[in-house]
């Protein structure tokens, strides 16, 4: 059964999926972005439940919360974050290990072999991790940027969970995006954030096909109208769901959230308004 995996349909059914069926095809590149605390990681975790597998999730947030939300234990499976692996290579080079230049040249292969968590449900995960060396995230980002294009052909959807703010855009981990999902809170700063994303992507020549606005559960009908009239494609609101908080506190996977839960229903409805391949 090489090349096959069991994939969760989100309806309590596991289907057999051929991981290699997308070889030769370009994956859909999806980026979740927004201000801190708006629910970007929650959106990615819940969206993964309905996107067509195989899926690659890339967690760029230093909080590293996405794995927990999905119920993936990287340590148990001996999977490193990109930053941890880079730090290990740097330390090894100081003690007479492999030449640093050789290790960095082969980092794309190292990321795929040692930093890629492969779940049985057709959802894979790479975590950038917390910075352990002096300076910015530029080196880990550059390594990931070089590795990602070589991995895209094996996936139907690739979803990037961005850190808070807009600095991640300057790093250009990907420069061609199919779908931007801007997760919003009900504030004037979110309106300003939309404009800043547009400005920065234009300056950096980051291209995209679709630019979607998604309201978090803090919105009411009155403040929702401000974003509906913004001139951008407003998909709707992620409904408040007390089970999301309960699942996170008890370390349960959001992939197991009931189908009739408010969050599950609203995410599924939002995705159906796009052209993204879903289950």
């Amino acid at each position: 059964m090489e090349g096959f995996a069991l994939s969760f349909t989100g309806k309590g059914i596991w289907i057999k999926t051929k991981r290699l069926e997308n070889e030769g095809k370009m994956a859909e590149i999806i980026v979740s972005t927004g201000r801190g605390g708006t629910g970007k990681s929650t959106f990615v975790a819940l969206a993964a439940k309905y996107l067509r597998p195989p899926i690659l999730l890339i967690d760029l947030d230093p909080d590293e919360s996405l794995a927990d939300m999905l119920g993936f234990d990287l340590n148990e499976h001996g999977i490193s974050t990109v930053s941890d692996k880079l730090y290990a290579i740097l330390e090894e080079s100081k003690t007479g290990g492999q030449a640093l230049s050789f290790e960095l040249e082969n980092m794309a292969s190292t990321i795929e072999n040692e930093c890629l968590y492969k779940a049985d449900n057709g959802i894979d995960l790479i975590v950038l991790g917390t910075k352990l060396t002096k300076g910015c995230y530029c080196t880990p980002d550059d390594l990931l940027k070089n590795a990602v294009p070589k991995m895209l052909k094996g996936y139907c959807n690739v979803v990037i969970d961005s850190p808070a703010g807009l600095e991640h855009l300057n790093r250009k981990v990907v420069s061609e995006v199919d779908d931007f999902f801007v997760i919003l809170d009900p504030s004037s700063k979110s309106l300003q954030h939309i404009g800043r994303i547009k400005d920065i992507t234009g300056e950096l020549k980051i291209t995209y096909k679709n630019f979607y606005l998604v309201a978090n559960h803090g919105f009411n009908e009155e403040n929702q109208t401000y974003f509906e009239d913004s001139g951008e494609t407003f998909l709707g609101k992620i409904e408040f769901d007390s089970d999301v908080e309960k699942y996170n506190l008890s370390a349960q996977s959001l992939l197991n959230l009931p189908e009739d839960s408010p969050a599950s229903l609203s995410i599924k409805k939002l995705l159906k308004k796009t052209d993204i391949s879903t289950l």
Side-chain angles (χ1 to χ4, degrees):
M1 300 297 289
E2 183 178 358
F4 286 85
L6 292 176
S7 299
F8 186 62
T9 65
K11 300 177 182 178
I13 301 171
W14 292 83
I15 60 172
K16 196 179 294 181
T17 302
K18 193 172 183 181
R19 277 189 177 274
L20 302 181
E21 66 183 356
N22 290 291
E23 287 292 351
K25 300 178 183 178
M26 290 303 295
E28 186 95 359
I29 307 298
I30 301 165
V31 174
S32 171
T33 188
R35 290 174 6 93
T38 55
K40 298 180 295 296
S41 297
T42 300
F43 171 80
V44 170
L46 291 173
K49 186 175 179 177
Y50 298 109
L51 295 173
R52 185 167 299 282
I55 305 164
L56 173 62
L57 306 179
I58 302 175
D59 186 2
L60 299 184
D61 194 332
D63 287 343
E64 302 179 36
S65 60
L66 185 56
D68 292 335
M69 289 183 176
L70 295 166
F72 294 172
D73 191 334
L74 274 62
N75 291 329
E76 182 181 345
H77 291 82
I79 302 297
S80 301
T81 69
V82 176
S83 293
D84 283 347
K85 189 59 189 177
L86 175 60
Y87 181 78
I89 289 172
L90 293 173
E91 289 301 298
E92 186 179 347
S93 69
K94 295 177 183 177
T95 58
Q98 287 273 18
L100 182 58
S101 59
F102 174 82
E103 291 283 5
L104 294 180
E105 285 174 7
N106 290 276
M107 194 64 183
S109 176
T110 299
I111 288 174
E112 188 166 2
N113 293 328
E114 300 185 39
C115 304
L116 178 63
Y117 180 94
K118 290 198 169 201
D120 292 334
N121 56 7
I123 302 173
D124 295 350
L125 174 67
I126 293 175
V127 178
L128 181 66
T130 304
K131 178 179 62 176
L132 294 177
T133 56
K134 186 177 180 180
C136 71
Y137 277 99
C138 300
T139 301
D141 280 329
D142 287 342
L143 295 172
L144 194 54
K145 179 167 58 179
N146 292 331
V148 168
K150 300 175 183 178
M151 304 171 65
L152 296 185
K153 291 183 180 179
Y155 296 96
C156 183
N157 291 293
V158 174
V159 189
I160 297 175
D161 182 19
S162 304
L166 297 171
E167 174 60 27
H168 66 94
L169 293 175
N170 287 313
R171 302 172 194 154
K172 293 184 73 172
V173 172
V174 290
S175 57
E176 295 180 359
V177 177
D178 290 297
D179 310 282
F180 263 112
F181 284 84
V182 186
I183 315 302
L184 308 164
D185 60 6
S187 68
S188 59
K189 288 188 176 180
S190 272
L191 275 172
Q192 296 166 11
H193 193 79
I194 296 168
R196 291 179 63 202
I197 294 173
K198 291 276 191 172
D199 291 341
I200 292 175
T201 53
E203 291 170 7
L204 297 176
K205 295 181 170 53
I206 298 175
T207 63
Y208 54 85
K209 295 177 183 176
N210 302 298
F211 193 87
Y212 300 121
L213 305 184
V214 175
N216 72 7
H217 61 77
F219 277 75
N220 57 35
E221 290 186 10
E222 181 180 355
N223 50 40
Q224 193 168 306
T225 59
Y226 286 98
F227 295 88
E228 291 174 338
D229 298 335
S230 67
E232 305 296 342
T233 302
F234 183 83
L235 294 180
K237 171 184 173 181
I238 303 172
E239 297 295 339
F240 173 75
D241 191 335
S242 60
D243 280 345
V244 170
E245 183 176 345
K246 291 177 184 177
Y247 273 52
N248 285 334
L249 287 173
S250 59
Q252 295 184 69
S253 172
L254 291 183
L255 298 174
N256 297 326
L257 204 65
E259 279 299 299
D260 60 353
S261 75
S264 294
L265 290 172
S266 56
I267 290 288
K268 188 174 183 180
K269 182 179 178 181
L270 295 176
L271 291 175
K272 288 296 182 183
K273 294 180 181 180
T274 73
D275 294 326
I276 299 171
S277 181
T278 58
L279 293 169

